[in-house]
């Protein structure tokens, strides 16, 4: 199979900036907002979002890592922050690709155990192959693909890109 670039570095940077503005518009400027990235690529995307958010807003944004076994999402989910830090705050759950929704729905379930002021989701690529009723509130691109195709997002120092295999 060959790989087809669907987003180059500049396009990814533009999508991240647009998502950051949408997040700012969605939350009250006085609110503290937790940006929770699903490890690995979701967390990298969350780090990039935090950098953009801090450039465009004076609001307080806190980075949180979400550790989830994507092969066995029933296992316990851990976060880098205690639930007391994000209780009654705004939270954006971030992942790189939304395919079937399995990863996102299990991560959402974890955060439902704590009262939140507002809960949103963000992804760079939405594949439109949902198995669960989960949606991305903020997305870089929606991409209709076949079930056999896969989207990979690569974050590297020399440049980021997303490709379809």
């Amino acid at each position: 199979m060959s790989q087809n670039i669907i987003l180059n570095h500049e396009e990814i940077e533009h999508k991240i900036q647009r998502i950051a503005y949408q997040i700012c518009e969605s939350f009250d400027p006085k609110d503290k907002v937790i940006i929770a990235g699903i490890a690995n690529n979701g967390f990298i995307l969350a780090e990039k979002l935090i950098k953009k958010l801090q450039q465009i807003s004076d609001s307080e944004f806190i980075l949180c890592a979400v550790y989830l076994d994507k092969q066995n999402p029933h296992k316990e989910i851990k976060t880098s922050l205690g639930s007391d830090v994000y209780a009654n705050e705004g939270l954006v759950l971030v992942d790189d690709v939304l395919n079937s929704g399995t990863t996102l729905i299990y991560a959402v379930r974890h955060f439902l155990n704590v009262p939140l002021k507002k809960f949103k989701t963000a992804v760079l690529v939405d594949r439109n192959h949902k198995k669960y009723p989960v949606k991305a509130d903020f997305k870089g691109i929606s991409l209709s693909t076949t079930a056999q195709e896969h989207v990979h997002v690569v974050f590297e120092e020399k440049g980021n890109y997303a490709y379809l295999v």
Side-chain angles (χ1 to χ4, degrees):
M1 284 193 209
S2 64
Q3 67 181 32
N4 299 308
I5 302 294
I6 55 173
L7 292 171
N8 63 31
H9 180 77
E10 292 77 24
E11 291 167 328
I12 289 176
E13 291 301 308
H14 176 75
K15 303 290 185 199
I16 290 170
Q17 183 165 337
R18 186 169 57 81
I19 291 169
Y21 275 106
Q22 290 174 322
I23 290 170
C24 286
E25 291 168 359
S26 181
F27 289 89
D28 189 308
K30 297 179 290 266
D31 288 346
K32 182 189 319 179
V33 181
I34 311 301
I35 306 297
I38 298 173
N40 292 321
N41 272 0
F43 182 74
I44 294 169
L45 180 58
E47 288 178 310
K48 292 178 178 302
L49 275 168
I50 286 254
K51 286 179 186 170
K52 290 287 185 195
L53 288 162
Q54 290 171 339
Q55 290 172 4
I56 62 176
S57 174
D58 293 330
S59 295
E60 182 179 0
F61 298 99
I62 299 172
L63 184 62
C64 175
V66 180
Y67 303 102
L68 161 87
D69 183 346
K70 292 184 179 188
Q71 304 309 315
N72 190 355
H74 295 284
K75 285 187 175 179
E76 182 183 6
I77 296 171
K78 298 182 189 291
T79 59
S80 62
L81 301 175
S83 60
D84 58 315
V85 176
Y86 51 82
N88 300 307
E89 302 294 349
L91 189 136
V92 179
L93 182 62
V94 179
D95 204 4
D96 60 339
V97 178
L98 172 55
N99 185 22
S100 68
T102 302
T103 301
L104 214 53
I105 199 91
Y106 280 97
V108 165
R109 185 184 70 166
H110 171 79
F111 288 104
L112 292 178
N113 293 325
V114 177
L116 297 171
K117 189 180 272 187
K118 187 183 279 192
F119 191 168
K120 299 286 185 178
T121 55
V123 298
L124 184 61
V125 180
D126 183 351
R127 292 257 331 270
N128 301 320
H129 286 289
K130 306 215 187 20
K131 181 165 113 178
Y132 295 101
V134 64
K135 71 177 183 75
D137 297 296
F138 314 113
K139 55 189 156 200
I141 187 173
S142 290
L143 189 66
S144 294
T145 61
T146 67
Q148 293 75 35
E149 293 174 309
H150 300 281
V151 173
H152 298 278
V153 178
V154 179
F155 292 112
E156 297 178 334
E157 281 189 38
K158 60 184 182 241
N160 309 316
Y161 59 98
Y163 65 94
L164 182 66
V165 179

